[in-house]
Each structure stands twice: as C-alpha cells, then as structure tokens.
C-alpha cells in the first residue's frame, strides 16, 4: 500500500488505516465472547499482513476490549509494534461511570485525559501511543487545560502526536491556538453517504492547517459495500440505494469492486483523506487495501458526487 505523512508530523502511515471499533464482535463488553475475540485477532492480523500500518482505536470501544485485543495481537505478532502506528481516543464517558448515577457526558478535563491515557496504555500493553485524539467535543472544553494535559503526555513520552475527532472547525482553531504542538489529524465521518465535511469548513481547514482528515465509516458502516450489520443511530436514516448503481457503473467500467470505488472516491480529494476501514472480514480487509491502486478521473468523481447528492450542482 502507498504511504502518507499524517499532518505536519513525522508519522508515516499506510494510505488507508484499519479501525478496531468492531474487533470485539459486540459493542457491549458483557456480550464479548471468546469466538468473537478470536475473529477480532484474525481481522487485525489480516489487516497487518495486508499492509495497514495505522490501527485506530478508542477507550470506549467495547468498554476497552478493542484496545485489549489489539494489545494481545501486538504481543503475539513478532515485530508488529515497531512497524505500526497506534491511534486511540478519549473524552467520552458512558452513563454509569464512575458512579451508577453518572450521566453520559464528554470530559476533556486534564485529570480525565491523563487517566484515560494511562488506562489505554495498560490495555494496549505499550509505553507510547503514536496518535492520541479527543473523541467528541466536550461542551465544557477548555483549550488551555487540554493543552496542559497534552504537554504533560508528550513530555513524559506517553504520546507522540495529537488530534481531534468530530470537532467544529472553530473549536479546532481554538484548541490549536492554545496547544504548543500541532494537531495532526481530524477524524470525521466522510463517505458518499455523509458529505458534510466538504461544505462545512472541515476539509477546507484541513487544507489550510495541513491536518490529515481521517474518514470514519468510509463505507457508511457497510451500506456502500455488501450491507450494514450495525449502524450508529445517526446513520439509520441513510438511503444510499438510489446512488449505488452509479458506484456499480464506475466499478464495472474500471474492473473494480463497489467498495474500492467508494474508497477511491475519498482518496481522490487533495487534502489526503485517510479512510479507516472497519470490516472484520479478512477478504474485505484485503480488498479495501487495494483501493489506492484505483485513481478515479475528475469526471468519475463528479458523477458519483452528483448521484450521491441526488440533485444537480448549482
Ligand atoms: P466502514 O468500513 O464504513 O464499515 C464497516 C462495516 O461494513 C462492517 O460491519 C463490515 O462488515 C461492513 N461491510 C459490508 N460490506 C463491506 C465491504 N464490501 N467491505 C468492507 N466492509 C463491509 O467503517 P466503520 O466500521 O463504520 O468505521 C471504521 C472505523 O472508524 C472504526 O473501526 C473506528 O476505528 C472509526 N470510527 C470512529 C468514530 C469516531 O467518532 N471517531 C466513529 C465510528 C467509527 P464485515 O465486518 O462483515 O465485513
């Protein structure tokens, strides 16, 4: 697979990243089973062998199980830790933690960021996280306080680089102004079914600030591939059926699959969007890894944009 540098950092990653959100087999940690974990191990190994070198994770994925599974694979596969970049996130606190009556909330307090990082390092079984992101914007986000946490994590060698996820561009700016280190990625949902980032300033800011946009759910959680098993509530209203034939037509023309065309559509954007592939099926993981071999023409790109918009451009 081709490689890219993330933002202005020295982190060189595979062109597509692998996402560990689904590797435990269930989002509910009480429903994670040994066969489900074993499938997650196989998926991560398949991704590594297919050339993905950035593994995206988060403290809340399956209550920490996704980080534990990745940590186990890193121990099992000789030399893997040195060849991959580990990315994970903090800042979402589910209801019931730490007290039974605690509400669901976001928490970018210094104490929570520092503690979350310690816990992620333990679950991953490593001493350093390459890329640490704030998962969803805390309504009470205080940039100076976050900058203090980041500075401490960087100077202690626990984190190499930082990024954000699902932020408004103005909050990225507010945080960047306070931080002495560059924010190198912005992880947002981008796909033919979710194109807000093209027009809400997110990708413009990535171009200006040289931030790498990482695209989560690049296949709209499977709706642009062979079908979705689990959608987020925000994805349930997606109706890609009307434009799937347009993707299939390009795929047929180019002798490619629908999946690789949908991913190649993201790769074409000049700000260097990095799709995060979320399948746990080894064949699909391998197929998605070939998307960087397909360069769409501007005409093909716009044909897909128009089909997905469902209306002409002005
Ligand atoms: P995705 O690649 O759009 O969807 C993967 C899902 O699509 C899997 O359930 C997969 O099922 C299914 N699928 C169906 N046909 C497929 C095909 N032909 N090829 C590949 N997959 C196909 O991505 P995602 O899993 O929704 O998200 C990717 C990553 O983004 C996550 O792992 C996580 O790291 C990150 N993420 C971040 C946020 C955030 O807020 N920052 C939110 C969500 C996700 P099979 O497994 O059966 O193939």
């Amino acid at each position: 697979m081709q490689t890219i540098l993330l933002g202005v950092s020295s982190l060189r990653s595979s062109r597509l990243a692998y996402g560990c959100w689904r590797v435990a087999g269930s989002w509910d940690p009480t429903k994670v089973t040994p066969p489900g974990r074993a499938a997650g191990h196989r998926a991560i190994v398949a991704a590594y062998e297919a050339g993905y070198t950035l593994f995206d994770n988060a403290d809340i994925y399956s209550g920490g199980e996704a980080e534990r599974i990745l940590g186990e694979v890193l121990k099992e596969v000789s030399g893997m830790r040195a060849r991959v970049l580990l990315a994970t996130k903090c800042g979402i606190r589910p209801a019931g933690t730490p007290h039974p009556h605690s509400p669901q909330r976001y928490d970018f307090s210094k104490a929570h960021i520092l503690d979350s990082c310690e816990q992620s390092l333990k679950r991953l079984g490593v001493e350093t996280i390459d890329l640490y992101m704030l998962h969803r914007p805390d309504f009470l986000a205080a940039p100076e306080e976050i900058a203090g946490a980041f500075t401490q994590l960087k100077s202690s060698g626990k984190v190499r680089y930082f990024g954000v996820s699902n932020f408004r561009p103005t909050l990225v700016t507010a945080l960047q102004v306070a931080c002495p280190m560059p924010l190198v990625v912005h992880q947002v949902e981008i796909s033919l079914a979710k194109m807000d980032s093209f027009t809400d300033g997110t990708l413009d800011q990535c171009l200006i600030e040289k931030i790498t946009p990482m695209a989560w759910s690049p296949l709209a959680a499977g709706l642009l591939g062979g079908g979705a098993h689990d959608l987020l509530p925000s994805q349930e209203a997606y109706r890609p059926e009307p434009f799937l034939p347009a993707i299939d037509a390009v795929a047929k023309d180019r002798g490619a699959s629908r999946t690789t065309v949908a991913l190649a559509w993201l790769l074409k954007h000049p700000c260097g969007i990095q799709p995060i592939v979320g399948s746990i099926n080894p064949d699909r993981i391998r197929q998605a890894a070939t998307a960087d071999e397909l360069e769409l023409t501007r005409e093909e790109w716009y044909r897909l944009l128009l089909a997905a918009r469902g209306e002409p451009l002005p």
Side-chain angles (χ1 to χ4, degrees), residues 122-153:
K122 273 194 203 129
R123 286 188 292 262
L124 290 164
V126 297
E127 295 190 347
T128 306
I129 289 165
D130 299 295
L131 178 59
Y132 201 46
M133 285 164 280
L134 299 173
H135 206 154
R136 283 191 180 271
D138 180 359
F139 286 71
L140 298 176
E144 299 292 342
E145 182 175 359
I146 297 166
F150 283 5
T151 301
Q152 195 167 319
L153 290 174

Coordinates of all heavy atoms in Angstrom, one line a residue, residues 122-153:
K122 N -2.2 0.8 29.3 CA -2.2 -0.5 30.0 C -2.9 -1.6 29.1 O -2.4 -2.7 29.0 CB -2.9 -0.4 31.3 CG -2.0 0.0 32.5 CD -2.7 -0.2 33.8 CE -2.1 0.7 34.8 NZ -3.0 1.5 35.6
R123 N -4.1 -1.2 28.6 CA -4.8 -2.2 27.8 C -4.1 -2.5 26.5 O -4.1 -3.7 26.1 CB -6.2 -1.6 27.5 CG -7.2 -1.6 28.6 CD -8.6 -1.2 28.2 NE -8.7 0.1 27.8 CZ -9.1 1.1 28.5 NH1 -9.5 0.9 29.8 NH2 -9.2 2.3 28.0
L124 N -3.4 -1.6 25.9 CA -2.6 -1.9 24.7 C -1.3 -2.5 25.0 O -0.7 -3.1 24.1 CB -2.4 -0.5 24.0 CG -3.6 0.1 23.3 CD1 -3.3 1.6 22.9 CD2 -4.0 -0.7 22.1
G125 N -0.9 -2.4 26.3 CA 0.4 -3.1 26.7 C 1.6 -2.4 26.0 O 2.6 -3.1 25.7
V126 N 1.6 -1.1 25.9 CA 2.7 -0.4 25.3 C 3.1 0.8 26.1 O 2.3 1.2 27.1 CB 2.3 0.1 23.8 CG1 2.0 -1.0 22.9 CG2 1.1 1.1 23.9
E127 N 4.2 1.4 25.8 CA 4.6 2.6 26.6 C 4.3 3.9 25.9 O 4.3 4.9 26.6 CB 6.2 2.5 26.8 CG 6.5 1.3 27.7 CD 7.9 1.2 28.2 OE1 8.7 2.0 27.6 OE2 8.1 0.4 29.0
T128 N 4.0 3.8 24.6 CA 3.7 5.1 23.9 C 2.6 4.9 22.9 O 2.5 3.9 22.2 CB 5.0 5.5 23.1 OG1 6.1 5.6 24.0 CG2 4.8 6.9 22.4
I129 N 1.7 5.9 22.9 CA 0.6 5.9 21.9 C 1.1 6.9 20.8 O 1.6 8.0 21.2 CB -0.7 6.4 22.5 CG1 -1.2 5.3 23.4 CG2 -1.7 6.8 21.5 CD1 -2.3 5.8 24.4
D130 N 1.1 6.5 19.6 CA 1.6 7.4 18.5 C 0.7 8.6 18.2 O 1.2 9.7 17.9 CB 1.8 6.6 17.2 CG 2.8 5.5 17.4 OD1 3.9 5.7 17.7 OD2 2.3 4.3 17.4
L131 N -0.6 8.4 18.3 CA -1.6 9.4 18.0 C -2.7 9.4 18.9 O -3.4 8.3 19.0 CB -2.0 9.2 16.5 CG -3.1 10.1 16.0 CD1 -2.6 11.5 15.9 CD2 -3.4 9.6 14.5
Y132 N -2.9 10.4 19.7 CA -4.0 10.4 20.7 C -5.0 11.5 20.4 O -4.6 12.7 20.2 CB -3.3 10.7 22.1 CG -4.2 10.3 23.3 CD1 -4.8 9.0 23.3 CD2 -4.4 11.1 24.4 CE1 -5.5 8.6 24.4 CE2 -5.1 10.7 25.5 CZ -5.7 9.4 25.4 OH -6.5 9.0 26.5
M133 N -6.3 11.1 20.3 CA -7.3 12.0 19.8 C -8.4 12.3 20.9 O -8.7 11.4 21.7 CB -8.0 11.5 18.6 CG -7.1 11.5 17.3 SD -7.8 10.4 16.0 CE -7.2 8.9 16.6
L134 N -9.0 13.4 20.8 CA -10.2 13.7 21.6 C -11.4 13.3 20.8 O -11.5 13.8 19.7 CB -10.2 15.2 21.9 CG -9.0 15.8 22.7 CD1 -9.0 17.3 22.8 CD2 -8.9 15.1 24.1
H135 N -12.2 12.5 21.4 CA -13.2 11.7 20.6 C -14.4 12.6 20.1 O -14.7 12.5 18.9 CB -13.7 10.6 21.4 CG -14.2 9.4 20.6 ND1 -14.2 8.1 21.1 CD2 -14.7 9.3 19.4 CE1 -14.7 7.3 20.2 NE2 -15.0 8.0 19.2
R136 N -15.0 13.3 21.0 CA -16.2 14.1 20.6 C -16.1 15.4 21.4 O -15.8 15.3 22.6 CB -17.5 13.4 20.8 CG -17.8 12.4 19.7 CD -19.2 11.9 19.8 NE -19.4 10.9 18.8 CZ -19.8 11.2 17.5 NH1 -20.2 12.4 17.2 NH2 -19.9 10.2 16.6
P137 N -16.4 16.6 20.8 CA -16.2 17.8 21.5 C -17.0 17.9 22.8 O -18.2 17.8 22.9 CB -16.6 18.9 20.5 CG -17.3 18.2 19.4 CD -16.9 16.8 19.4
D138 N -16.2 18.1 23.9 CA -16.8 18.4 25.2 C -17.4 19.8 25.2 O -16.7 20.8 24.8 CB -15.6 18.3 26.2 CG -16.0 18.6 27.7 OD1 -17.2 18.8 27.9 OD2 -15.2 18.5 28.6
F139 N -18.6 19.9 25.6 CA -19.3 21.2 25.7 C -18.5 22.2 26.6 O -18.6 23.4 26.5 CB -20.7 21.1 26.1 CG -21.7 20.5 25.1 CD1 -21.6 19.2 24.7 CD2 -22.6 21.3 24.5 CE1 -22.5 18.6 23.8 CE2 -23.5 20.8 23.5 CZ -23.4 19.5 23.2
L140 N -17.8 21.6 27.6 CA -17.1 22.4 28.5 C -15.6 22.4 28.2 O -14.7 22.7 29.1 CB -17.3 21.9 29.9 CG -18.7 21.9 30.4 CD1 -18.9 21.2 31.8 CD2 -19.3 23.3 30.5
A141 N -15.2 22.2 26.9 CA -13.8 22.1 26.5 C -13.1 23.4 26.9 O -13.5 24.5 26.5 CB -13.7 21.8 25.1
A142 N -12.0 23.3 27.6 CA -11.2 24.5 27.9 C -9.8 24.3 27.3 O -9.0 23.5 27.8 CB -11.0 24.6 29.5
P143 N -9.5 25.0 26.2 CA -8.3 24.7 25.4 C -7.0 24.8 26.2 O -6.2 23.9 26.1 CB -8.3 25.8 24.3 CG -9.8 26.1 24.1 CD -10.4 26.0 25.5
E144 N -6.9 25.7 27.2 CA -5.6 25.8 27.9 C -5.4 24.6 28.8 O -4.3 24.1 29.0 CB -5.6 27.1 28.9 CG -5.7 28.4 28.1 CD -4.5 28.7 27.3 OE1 -3.4 28.1 27.5 OE2 -4.6 29.5 26.4
E145 N -6.6 24.1 29.4 CA -6.5 22.9 30.2 C -6.1 21.6 29.4 O -5.3 20.8 29.8 CB -7.8 22.7 30.9 CG -7.8 21.5 31.9 CD -9.1 21.3 32.7 OE1 -10.0 22.2 32.5 OE2 -9.2 20.3 33.5
I146 N -6.7 21.5 28.2 CA -6.4 20.4 27.3 C -4.9 20.5 26.9 O -4.2 19.5 26.9 CB -7.3 20.5 26.1 CG1 -8.7 20.3 26.4 CG2 -6.8 19.4 25.1 CD1 -9.7 20.6 25.3
A147 N -4.4 21.7 26.6 CA -3.0 21.9 26.2 C -2.1 21.5 27.3 O -1.1 20.9 27.1 CB -2.8 23.4 25.8
G148 N -2.5 21.7 28.5 CA -1.7 21.3 29.7 C -1.6 19.8 29.8 O -0.5 19.2 30.0
A149 N -2.7 19.1 29.5 CA -2.7 17.6 29.5 C -1.8 17.1 28.4 O -1.0 16.2 28.6 CB -4.1 17.1 29.4
F150 N -2.0 17.7 27.2 CA -1.2 17.2 26.0 C 0.3 17.4 26.3 O 1.1 16.5 26.0 CB -1.6 18.0 24.8 CG -2.9 17.6 24.1 CD1 -3.7 16.6 24.7 CD2 -3.3 18.1 22.9 CE1 -4.9 16.2 24.1 CE2 -4.5 17.7 22.3 CZ -5.3 16.8 22.9
T151 N 0.6 18.6 26.9 CA 2.1 18.9 27.1 C 2.7 17.8 28.1 O 3.7 17.3 27.8 CB 2.2 20.3 27.7 OG1 1.6 21.2 26.7 CG2 3.7 20.7 27.9
Q152 N 1.9 17.5 29.1 CA 2.4 16.5 30.1 C 2.5 15.2 29.4 O 3.5 14.5 29.6 CB 1.4 16.5 31.3 CG 2.0 15.8 32.5 CD 1.1 16.0 33.7 OE1 0.6 17.1 33.9 NE2 0.9 15.0 34.5
L153 N 1.6 14.8 28.6 CA 1.6 13.4 28.0 C 2.8 13.4 27.0 O 3.5 12.4 26.8 CB 0.3 13.1 27.2 CG -0.9 12.9 28.1 CD1 -2.2 12.7 27.3 CD2 -0.6 11.6 29.0

